[in-house]
Amino acid sequence: MAATHSLSSAALSSSSSSFFSHSSFNAKNPKVSFPGTRFRVKCVATSQDSMTAYKTSVPRNANMAKLQAGYLFPEIARRRNAHLQKYPDAKVISLGIGDTTEPIPEVITSAMAKRSHALSTLEGYSGYGAEQGEKPVRALIGKTFYSGLGIEEDDIFVSDGAKCDITRLQLVFGSNVSMAVQDPSYPAYVDSSVILGQTGQYEKDAEKYSNIEYMRCTPENGFFPDLTKIPRTDIIFFCSPNNPTGSSATREQLTQLVQFAKKNGSIIVYDSAYAMYISDDNPRSIFEIPGAKEVAIETSSFSKYAGFTGVRLGWTVVPKELMFSDGFPVAKDFNRIVCTCFNGASNIAQAGGLACLSPEGLEAMRGVIGFYKENTSIIMDTFNSLGFNVYGGKNAPYVWVRFPGRSSWDVFAEILEKTHVVTTPGSGFGPGGEGFIRVSAFGHRENVLEACRRFRQLYK
Ligand SMILES: Cc1ncc(COP(=O)(O)O)c(C=O)c1O
């Protein structure tokens, strides 16, 4: 969703340098605030925008105009660049946007290279593939992640990533649905809902869009909303393990969620993009919960398992048991959208997906995930030893650190200015993230160790 506490780059660069000199403040002191201003995230018009005199006669999409800010992660990248301009010699470490850093295992890239080379031969060339994905890929995703759960190969749609599927699902739902979302949560759910016109205007005081039900997830409620207090909505976006809090829902909690959806006739869109990071016995898929096939869709991705954030490969499961109120299968409408808006995942990426799911590929992916999980432990230990309340981490590559009473954009800026480490301000994920910082465990080991050394220095 839109980041709500904003900070113009001018404000950041003009006010913060001397303020953050090491001797001038105690960084843990909640009373410390930035001189002059509460920061506001804004898409700043470039000089080119303001110089354009000619205007077309096309009205701007009113839903786009409702969006409050630049999408969170580009905004953070922008600030990182502004910081680099200010401190060209600084060794900036990014534990912010959550992009993977470690090389893709060779067993996977060699399969992609082979497929790529084959495209230069008459026998190996292929053009458009099935929009839903290649059959062997669908079958292997089913066997690997949904074995014994009653999910069939044709329930699985291979895609260019979970984020793209979230928007395609929103296209299926259209403008006339209401939606609920964990607060805080990955911004794509709220922003795509706004773009589709499912919401009202942004309410500045509440820092929420009207017609979205924000299900507050805090340490106090174990990061699971009190469903007895949540009004019915058509769609419920639910991400577990959650980005940004790093918490994952238990079997009992997911059972409650499925029963809640069933009672209300709602559809759950379950985002399991981090399921392979779960190390306890919490469910990896919503379809482990009895009855979920009648109320849930699941979207997932190779991005954070195999370093495919650039390669682009994901999937969405739409069980045939899931119906709209008129009895029409949701999968048929999703298929229609996929066929209209998408021409299938890259054949090279799909070769990579097949390799990921081979026995050697699975072992290699577990190796990469294990590496990031070690990073997570290093970050958690650091903040724990400094006396912070630290959440997440165990089942996700994200550490959620509390800074009571402080604006998360202030803390973000403080950490960037004093340590040259990019984190993510919790309020960028919704009002429930205020007072938290998300630290991503995606990083080279030496960078994570160095970042933690700097955190210790700053908050000792
Ligand atoms: C919860 C969640 N869902 C989806 C995505 C996007 O995944 P993909 O790269 O497959 O589009 C992300 C990426 O950070 C994420 O955190």
Side-chain angles (χ1 to χ4, degrees):
M1 71 147 268
T4 49
H5 291 291
S6 338
L7 168 66
S8 76
S9 58
L12 175 61
S13 54
S14 65
S15 69
S16 47
S17 179
S18 58
F19 179 76
F20 276 131
S21 70
H22 272 267
S23 57
S24 67
F25 80 117
N26 170 357
K28 265 193 197 162
N29 180 357
K31 294 204 178 70
V32 171
S33 65
F34 280 76
T37 180
R38 288 260 286 171
F39 294 143
R40 299 205 67 77
V41 170
K42 240 186 224 151
C43 262
V44 181
T46 62
S47 53
Q48 212 179 358
D49 293 333
S50 52
M51 276 162 57
T52 306
Y54 176 78
K55 294 187 186 74
T56 70
S57 310
V58 181
R60 186 174 178 209
N61 178 340
N63 295 321
M64 293 299 298
K66 287 180 199 162
L67 290 167
Q68 285 305 294
Y71 188 76
L72 176 64
F73 299 115
E75 177 62 27
I76 287 170
R78 195 180 65 74
R79 281 159 199 240
R80 177 183 188 274
N81 292 339
H83 185 77
L84 267 174
Q85 276 192 340
K86 188 176 165 195
Y87 300 108
D89 298 328
K91 183 170 182 328
V92 171
I93 297 174
S94 184
L95 303 179
I97 66 172
D99 195 1
T100 45
T101 56
E102 299 313 291
I104 299 173
E106 177 97 31
V107 59
I108 300 165
T109 48
S110 58
M112 289 194 281
K114 199 167 157 209
R115 182 72 165 265
S116 169
H117 286 306
L119 292 175
S120 289
T121 66
L122 271 180
E123 317 74 55
Y125 176 76
S126 65
Y128 289 127
E131 290 90 343
Q132 304 78 3
E134 295 170 4
K135 264 175 89 63
V137 183
R138 300 172 86 186
L140 204 47
I141 290 172
K143 188 168 155 235
T144 308
F145 297 106
Y146 304 102
S147 173
L149 301 181
I151 297 298
E152 291 168 5
E153 183 187 310
D154 60 351
D155 297 327
I156 298 165
F157 297 77
V158 181
S159 75
D160 52 349
K163 194 194 225 180
C164 320
D165 274 347
I166 289 162
T167 301
R168 286 190 280 263
L169 286 167
Q170 294 280 31
L171 285 178
V172 170
F173 301 137
S175 313
N176 293 321
V177 291
S178 54
M179 72 97 116
V181 70
Q182 288 153 297
D183 176 24
S185 68
Y186 179 57
Y189 318 129
V190 166
D191 280 8
S192 59
S193 179
V194 174
I195 290 167
L196 260 285
Q198 297 166 0
T199 75
Q201 293 296 335
Y202 185 70
E203 296 169 357
K204 280 209 167 57
D205 290 344
E207 299 176 342
K208 296 175 177 178
Y209 292 92
S210 62
N211 208 35
I212 289 187
E213 191 54 43
Y214 291 75
M215 305 186 292
R216 196 51 81 96
C217 296
T218 61
E220 288 68 37
N221 64 13
F223 296 102
F224 189 80
D226 179 354
L227 296 175
T228 62
K229 300 207 172 97
I230 304 292
R232 179 198 178 277
T233 57
D234 295 310
I235 312 298
I236 304 167
F237 279 92
F238 199 93
C239 177
S240 180
N242 178 272
N243 177 7
T245 66
S247 65
S248 82
T250 63
R251 197 166 300 274
E252 295 69 37
Q253 289 171 333
L254 290 179
T255 304
Q256 273 181 41
L257 183 69
V258 166
Q259 286 168 354
F260 178 72
K262 201 160 243 176
K263 183 184 83 188
N264 288 332
S266 308
I267 294 176
I268 300 165
V269 178
Y270 189 80
D271 186 336
S272 64
Y274 299 96
M276 278 186 80
Y277 285 79
I278 296 177
S279 32
D280 58 21
D281 61 358
N282 284 345
R284 270 66 172 163
S285 164
I286 190 72
F287 299 118
E288 290 182 39
I289 309 301
K293 288 204 290 285
E294 289 162 6
V295 292
I297 292 167
E298 179 164 311
T299 188
S300 198
S301 171
F302 289 93
S303 280
K304 307 298 165 80
Y305 297 173
F308 268 31
T309 48
V311 173
R312 310 302 306 147
L313 195 70
W315 69 90
T316 290
V317 182
V318 190
K320 28 181 112 38
E321 289 86 344
L322 183 69
M323 313 271 186
F324 287 116
S325 57
D326 63 357
F328 195 82
V330 176
K332 283 199 169 177
D333 274 353
F334 188 62
N335 188 53
R336 187 73 172 79
I337 291 289
V338 164
C339 291
T340 304
C341 308
F342 181 53
N343 261 335
S346 146
N347 43 20
I348 298 168
Q350 291 192 76
L354 271 183
C356 284
L357 302 179
S358 69
E360 307 75 41
L362 281 168
E363 203 186 314
M365 282 203 296
R366 289 196 191 103
V368 176
I369 290 168
F371 173 85
Y372 290 131
K373 282 174 76 79
E374 283 169 14
N375 281 352
T376 314
S377 301
I378 294 168
I379 297 166
M380 301 239 332
D381 289 350
T382 301
F383 281 101
N384 273 322
S385 72
L386 290 167
F388 286 93
N389 286 321
V390 182
Y391 306 94
K394 184 166 150 228
N395 290 327
Y398 297 123
V399 179
W400 189 236
V401 188
R402 195 170 216 169
F403 288 78
R406 298 199 57 197
S407 143
S408 18
W409 277 106
D410 281 1
V411 178
F412 164 86
E414 167 183 300
I415 292 174
L416 182 60
E417 183 69 23
K418 296 207 92 169
T419 68
H420 306 303
V421 177
V422 181
T423 57
T424 311
S427 61
F429 299 95
E434 186 55 289
F436 290 87
I437 279 287
R438 189 195 76 174
V439 185
S440 154
F442 294 119
H444 302 314
R445 179 63 44 82
E446 69 271 20
N447 285 348
V448 169
L449 289 170
E450 171 61 16
C452 287
R453 199 189 59 70
R454 296 181 195 171
F455 293 149
R456 283 181 200 279
Q457 188 93 24
L458 177 61
Y459 292 117
K460 65 185 174 219

